Amino acid sequence: MRIAQIALQTLLVLLLGPLVTGFIQKLKARLQCRAGASLWQPYRDLAKLLRKGTVQSDTASPFFRAVPVLVLAAIATAATLVPVLWAPAGSAHPRLGDAILLLALFALARFLLAIGALDAGGAFGGMGASREMTVGLLVEPALMMAVFSVGVAGGTTDLVDLAARRGAVEALAWQAPDLLAFFAVLILTIAETGRIPVDNPDTHLELTMLHEGMLLEHSGPGLACIALATHTKQLVILALVAALFFPLGLSPDAAPGHVALALAAFGAKVLALAVFLAVVESSYAKLRFFRVPQFLGLGLVCAFLALALRVL
Amino acid sequence: MVWTGHLLVLAFSLVGGAGALGVLLKGAAPPLRVALPHLFPFATMSLAVDGLSAFFLLVIALVAAAAALYGPAYLDAHAKSPVVQTVSLGLFVACMAIVCCAADAMTFLLAWEGMTLASYVLVVIDMQSEENVRAGLLYLIMAHAGTAAILVAFLVLASHVSHAEAFDFTALRAAARDLDPTTRTTVFMLALAGFGAKAGVVPLHVWLPKAHPAAPSHASALMSGVMLKVAIYGILRFGFDLLLPAEGPLPASWGWTVLVIGTVSAVIGVLLALQQHELKRLLAFSSVENVGIILIGAGLAMLLCRGRGSQELATLALAAALLHALNHAAFKGLLFLGAGSVIHRTGIRNIDDLGGLARRMPWTAWLFLLGSVAIAALPPLNGFASEWMTFQALLLGGARLGGASGLLAGLAASMLALTGGLAAACFAKAFGVTFLGRTRSLQAERATESPAPMIAGMVLLGAACVGLGLAPGWALRLLDAPTAELSGIAASAVVTSQGPLVLSAGGGAEGLHATSISLTAVAAVFALLAAVAWIIRGWPRRAPSRLAPTWTCGMTPTSRFDYTGTAFAKPLRLIFAAVYRPSREIVKDVGSSPYVLRMLGYSGEVVDLAETVVYARFKRWVTVGAQTIRTYSTGRIHGYIGFVLATLVLALLLFAGARP
């Protein structure tokens, strides 16, 4: 039963991921007074890439072909760990992983993508890998601190238990550390989803790319896998923020009414966060790469204060 | 001779490993004791194997077996007095085993000294290299300063014991029970400094990245993977066993000190590792990091041990530290053997001159990748399992301790997360630049796979990395005996209470509940999803698949386009410039016109702050002191005899008068 729930919600995240990207693009376009591409454009891109052939760099090792698949698998595995619709209370459900494992799976995906980029042997790939690893290692501790801060309050780092417990007991009984942690997480979400002002997902100017720089040598179905992984990762992060700070409306059982409510609540939460990303992205310019650590430092300080307030 | 020697080491480690497993799995039993011949009139010597000893014996046996498989083929190529190397390797392993089994201070110190000397021989085996000789000298000085501190710690304890059995651990333990707190803490700090020098904690680490890479690679694997653990054994033996107070918690200052130096070592170690471009030196710096992670667990366990209701958390922290010690032995051993395999085939140590080896040395490359994933604490391998436990212990322990100690635990957790990210970047660089992309030198172009015995050694350690990650229940079973001895609760009762495939952390303060993960299940889900993705990706389609050169903006692709390790680490060099103090020098050779560049030379380096700030200053003082003494050092024997006599009289006046 629980396994079916996990499989269903993972499938949901995988299917809805591109839609969220499409929505953000559309909203951005409207904010910039453009018509913008259709909401479904990311799906069309994926379908197109899946039909295409592949061109592989002649310097790449056999590992290069496996990179997109492993990256997608790591992100999809992370998607199984976050509560989307169901959060049954109690310890009956099978144990998969907690927030730490989820962040570690993101790190695994980043690691694999980075060595894939080094494999192709172009300067842009290496540059992208180097920068992405740099930003990643600055984001990771701060995000971990924010998760710990919530974890100390909820008594566990298991996201399902955390959401079930906090959702049931104190609806929106936020305390000061929650506010700080939420602020930190908002900053880090921008970095982790690769958006302005940290990274620019739309750029194709090689020197300004972080994440995209690593994808230059991937093509066809491989690129489709990575694109899907990027969409999924974005939605997983939004779901993680929702589970940590707004664990409302999650369904404790399989009753259709509860599930419909959970679906609506999930949609609303993701919508709100997506609007946030789109608005931020339309109102700021991309930061110079060596300004990014200061921007992330703000997140780190807030996250650490949030944890310190909980522990003291 | 070389083969026989290594086979002997292999047999010895297999027997030792089997024995250790036997002790560990048998559960609660009185330790095995063996009396040694009566060599000294003032001390009886004996060996005893309890749970803690057996666990560290297992660590030694694991890496020693792999090194013994790997060694002979490696020495064939590097035939600098192979017989001496084999003999010292055997002595080295034997001495480490004896240190872990020693039941009295005399045996302990003798074996400790033997371990230092045998490894010194391995470091300076290549006497032609001036650098190696200097590294060996530095190692010898640091190791002996450490030994001196340990010796004093033992002597202080022994002065409280009756003459007959002055050095026996049982007697020392009994004597330590009613020491006054100040003496107890002083003795512990002395021992910590002594063992810390051997374990390479910051700032006592300066010798480590010089000495470890100088030895032949399988000896480096033993030094980094095992010898550091023997020092950890010493810290645990002193902190949790020999110096244990009769009742009440351990002094908070111990836990604080160990936790702080652990955190600092972890961050500084990995930051410096990231900027190295010599593969073995990078691995040596990363050992400093991992010792730091082990000490974070150990320090937290000291803070929590015997606290009110926090015994389970102490066990969790201790289990995390011990498991990380075993894990680090496995993956660091694997990585050093992999690096040795690269050096064996190419003769190049600088990763910026390598590249493209994955297609030439596939086994080495994939095993190195496995080790890199494990050491970067990425799931589902063993490095993640122990880091997850450390995180949980820090989080639950921090919440339990509260106040300043809790804040320190929180800070340590954030630094540990940073360390994990830095390690991932470091090993993405180490693996990517060494094995992927184009080759950057002729030697790398011509490289071929290493011989089978060397691969076998690496496969053994690679299997350990996978097994310890995917079957944590079995791994924690091995920790039962040591944790039960040190903290009173068996590790598997705390960590794998929900089945052998589930890691769980519980036992926190009121309201804190257990968190459980199953790396096995996650690995299964990962494999399943990867299989599905692979099928979708490889679905037959009409569109062709072809090979083409990488796009380099229209220029002919050469290996100069590949990102080097130095370039990869550049952003971090700038971000952490306060730690690195980077310097660079660019030499331009322009011809007749300033716009035509004929040659461009670049050199850059980062500094180890401990070396430039602490040691350089210390060296200056020593030099000034030596210059001052020089005027009195005339070279005449009469003068020296006079000095000795004066010192003796002075000492007698000072100390003999104190006796009532």
Side-chain angles (χ1 to χ4, degrees):
Chain A
M1 184 61 204
R2 176 68 189 143
I3 291 172
Q5 286 176 358
I6 290 177
L8 257 178
Q9 65 188 19
T10 307
L11 200 63
L12 187 74
V13 170
L14 281 168
L15 289 178
L16 285 185
L19 184 62
V20 176
T21 308
F23 173 75
I24 295 177
Q25 304 286 31
K26 186 79 181 171
L27 186 60
K28 257 176 67 183
R30 300 304 302 170
L31 286 171
Q32 293 162 0
C33 300
R34 290 188 285 119
S38 146
L39 271 181
W40 310 103
Q41 189 58 39
Y43 294 99
R44 291 188 197 134
D45 290 344
L46 285 177
K48 180 185 73 186
L49 285 174
L50 277 174
R51 280 198 308 275
K52 285 198 158 205
T54 50
V55 184
Q56 192 179 316
S57 167
D58 56 2
T59 52
S61 65
F63 178 68
F64 188 77
R65 280 175 62 80
V67 166
V69 168
L70 294 176
V71 168
L72 179 58
I75 298 290
T77 311
T80 61
L81 304 180
V82 63
V84 175
L85 299 181
W86 288 279
S91 57
H93 57 85
R95 301 294 180 169
L96 271 180
D98 63 346
I100 302 175
L101 185 54
L102 186 144
L103 294 181
L105 282 167
F106 283 169
L108 176 68
R110 188 159 48 225
F111 179 84
L112 291 169
L113 211 50
I115 57 178
L118 287 171
D119 200 5
F124 296 129
M127 197 180 291
S130 160
R131 292 178 172 181
E132 173 94 352
M133 291 307 283
T134 306
V135 171
L137 72 87
L138 295 173
V139 171
E140 204 177 288
L143 209 49
M144 204 80 104
M145 285 303 91
V147 167
F148 284 170
S149 162
V150 180
V152 169
T156 174
T157 52
D158 189 299
L159 287 166
V160 180
D161 280 354
L162 204 58
R165 202 165 298 146
R166 275 168 61 93
V169 180
E170 36 198 339
L172 272 176
W174 274 26
Q175 295 163 325
D178 285 307
L179 282 174
L180 279 169
F182 183 59
F183 180 67
V185 162
L186 283 184
I187 290 179
L188 300 169
T189 305
I190 293 169
E192 194 70 6
T193 50
R195 298 203 160 266
I196 290 175
V198 175
D199 189 4
N200 186 352
D202 298 328
T203 185
H204 283 279
L205 180 63
E206 292 91 338
L207 293 176
T208 60
M209 292 189 288
L210 268 70
H211 182 74
E212 298 289 315
M214 298 196 289
L215 316 185
L216 282 177
E217 295 302 324
H218 290 280
S219 55
L223 186 57
C225 285
I226 296 182
L228 181 60
T230 311
H231 299 316
T232 311
K233 183 181 174 190
Q234 176 174 277
L235 185 53
V236 171
I237 292 169
L238 299 187
L240 173 71
V241 178
L244 286 177
F245 297 100
F246 311 102
L248 295 173
L250 288 164
S251 161
D253 48 36
H258 285 156
V259 176
L261 182 69
L263 199 58
F266 179 68
K269 287 180 255 183
V270 169
L271 202 65
L273 289 168
V275 168
F276 164 75
L277 286 179
V279 170
V280 168
E281 206 167 39
S282 303
S283 8
Y284 289 89
K286 186 179 174 297
L287 284 172
R288 204 163 71 85
F289 181 70
F290 288 104
R291 292 272 181 202
V292 169
Q294 295 167 14
F295 178 69
L296 296 177
L298 186 63
L300 186 67
V301 169
C302 289
F304 183 71
L305 281 178
L307 180 65
L309 284 178
R310 288 270 192 233
V311 168
L312 276 175
Chain B
M1 178 67 191
V2 171
W3 273 97
T4 336
H6 281 88
L7 284 179
L8 264 176
V9 173
L10 180 64
F12 176 77
S13 49
L14 288 181
V15 171
L21 270 179
V23 173
L24 288 173
L25 296 179
K26 203 170 57 180
L32 299 171
R33 279 190 84 92
V34 185
L36 291 179
H38 205 76
L39 287 179
F40 300 97
F42 51 88
T44 52
M45 291 168 66
S46 58
L47 298 178
V49 181
D50 58 3
L52 189 64
S53 310
F55 178 75
F56 280 89
L57 272 183
L58 187 70
V59 174
I60 295 169
L62 176 69
V63 185
L69 277 173
Y70 182 95
Y74 185 78
L75 287 183
D76 272 350
H78 302 250
K80 285 219 172 59
S81 40
V83 176
V84 179
Q85 290 203 34
T86 312
V87 172
S88 349
L89 190 79
L91 278 176
F92 182 40
V93 173
C95 285
M96 287 195 291
I98 296 173
V99 169
C100 290
C101 301
D104 65 296
M106 201 66 206
T107 319
F108 187 96
L109 286 169
L110 284 177
W112 183 263
E113 190 58 27
M115 178 175 91
T116 306
L117 293 178
S119 52
Y120 170 73
V121 171
L122 290 167
V123 169
V124 297
I125 201 83
D126 184 5
M127 289 291 276
Q128 260 86 45
S129 156
E130 177 78 12
E131 204 183 334
N132 285 2
V133 175
R134 290 183 71 91
L137 184 64
L138 182 63
Y139 170 43
L140 216 53
I141 293 171
M142 294 294 288
H144 281 111
T147 311
I150 299 168
L151 181 65
V152 174
F154 272 127
L155 287 178
V156 172
L157 272 185
S159 67
H160 294 262
V161 184
S162 70
H163 187 69
E165 43 179 17
F167 290 104
D168 199 59
F169 276 176
T170 330
L172 295 181
R173 207 171 284 143
R177 286 193 178 274
D178 28 62
L179 277 182
D180 63 298
T182 326
T183 320
R184 187 191 307 281
T185 302
T186 316
V187 172
F188 177 75
M189 292 303 164
L190 273 172
L192 185 64
F195 290 118
K198 198 72 166 181
V201 300
V202 174
L204 303 175
H205 67 284
V206 284
W207 62 272
L208 194 151
K210 292 183 168 56
H212 284 198
S217 292
H218 57 302
S220 313
L222 279 169
M223 289 177 78
S224 248
V226 186
M227 190 171 75
L228 306 185
K229 308 304 148 44
V230 176
I232 300 284
Y233 165 82
I235 294 174
L236 294 177
R237 180 62 83 191
F238 261 85
F240 286 95
D241 183 15
L242 289 180
L243 291 175
L244 203 64
E247 57 192 8
L250 299 176
S253 58
W254 299 9
W256 269 73
T257 315
V258 174
L259 194 52
V260 168
I261 61 173
T263 312
V264 172
S265 301
V267 176
I268 298 289
V270 72
L271 273 175
L272 289 171
L274 197 57
Q275 297 298 342
Q276 305 305 315
H277 39 75
E278 203 180 284
L279 196 49
K280 283 174 79 177
R281 177 170 285 201
L282 181 150
L283 293 175
F285 268 116
S286 139
S287 295
V288 174
E289 171 218 341
N290 281 283
V291 162
I293 295 174
I294 297 169
L295 288 182
I296 288 177
L300 189 70
M302 284 179 183
L303 277 177
L304 290 163
C305 193
R306 292 192 181 186
R308 201 159 42 79
S310 60
Q311 204 60 23
E312 283 192 358
L313 280 179
T315 310
L316 176 66
L318 198 60
L322 288 171
L323 186 61
H324 199 76
L326 180 58
N327 288 342
H328 178 242
F331 50 65
K332 189 49 66 67
L334 172 60
L335 289 169
F336 260 116
L337 296 188
S341 177
V342 169
I343 292 168
H344 178 67
R345 282 312 197 199
T346 62
I348 298 178
R349 284 160 175 265
N350 188 343
I351 58 172
D352 289 348
D353 292 336
L354 292 164
L357 291 176
R359 279 174 296 165
R360 291 166 180 80
M361 312 175 69
W363 280 90
T364 306
W366 304 134
L367 285 163
F368 196 93
L369 177 61
L370 184 79
S372 301
V373 173
I375 201 170
L378 296 173
L381 296 180
N382 60 351
F384 179 76
S386 45
E387 280 213 21
W388 184 84
M389 285 161 65
T390 313
F391 271 129
Q392 289 292 341
L394 284 170
L395 182 61
L396 297 171
R400 149 78 65 180
L401 289 165
S405 305
L407 199 59
L408 183 65
L411 194 62
S414 68
M415 289 298 119
L416 187 59
L418 180 66
T419 305
L422 286 165
C426 178
F427 282 92
K429 165 189 147 173
F431 175 74
V433 176
T434 312
F435 290 99
L436 302 177
R438 296 186 192 83
T439 51
R440 298 192 193 83
S441 63
L442 207 58
Q443 291 95 319
E445 187 76 48
R446 290 190 191 139
T448 48
E449 187 55 273
S450 294
M454 285 170 70
I455 303 292
M458 290 190 262
V459 168
L460 174 66
L461 293 174
C465 288
V466 176
L468 289 170
L470 293 187
W474 289 97
L476 282 157
R477 192 76 184 76
L478 301 175
L479 301 181
D480 277 354
T483 47
E485 277 165 25
L486 299 190
S487 73
I489 303 177
S492 55
V494 178
V495 188
T496 47
S497 54
Q498 301 192 16
L501 299 181
V502 180
L503 283 174
S504 58
E510 289 302 312
L512 288 190
H513 301 261
T515 308
S516 316
I517 62 167
S518 174
L519 280 180
T520 327
V522 167
V525 170
F526 180 79
L528 183 73
L529 288 168
V532 172
W534 185 261
I535 290 169
I536 293 174
R537 183 200 190 286
W539 201 261
R541 51 179 67 79
R542 266 170 300 156
S545 169
R546 62 195 171 88
L547 287 180
T550 305
W551 171 245
T552 46
C553 299
M555 291 190 270
T556 319
T558 69
S559 62
R560 300 294 297 275
F561 281 97
D562 281 37
Y563 235 48
T564 58
T566 313
F568 190 88
K570 169 99 184 185
L572 289 161
R573 200 151 62 238
L574 295 181
I575 291 172
F576 293 100
V579 182
Y580 290 134
R581 312 270 168 91
S583 61
R584 65 174 181 173
E585 194 183 352
I586 295 175
V587 185
K588 277 185 189 170
D589 181 13
V590 289
S592 47
S593 152
Y595 303 107
V596 180
L597 207 59
R598 265 197 271 158
M599 211 182 70
L600 187 67
Y602 169 88
S603 61
E605 64 171 5
V606 300
V607 299
D608 182 348
L609 271 189
E611 210 174 325
T612 54
V613 176
V614 183
Y615 287 83
R617 207 160 285 172
F618 185 66
K619 202 169 127 191
R620 212 156 48 234
W621 292 339
V622 171
T623 317
V624 170
Q627 295 286 359
T628 326
I629 295 173
R630 206 166 139 183
T631 27
Y632 305 102
S633 174
T634 50
R636 275 178 311 186
I637 197 83
H638 304 89
Y640 293 140
I641 292 175
F643 286 136
V644 170
L645 199 65
T647 314
L648 187 66
V649 170
L650 200 65
L652 284 174
L653 281 175
L654 276 176
F655 298 109
R659 187 160 294 172

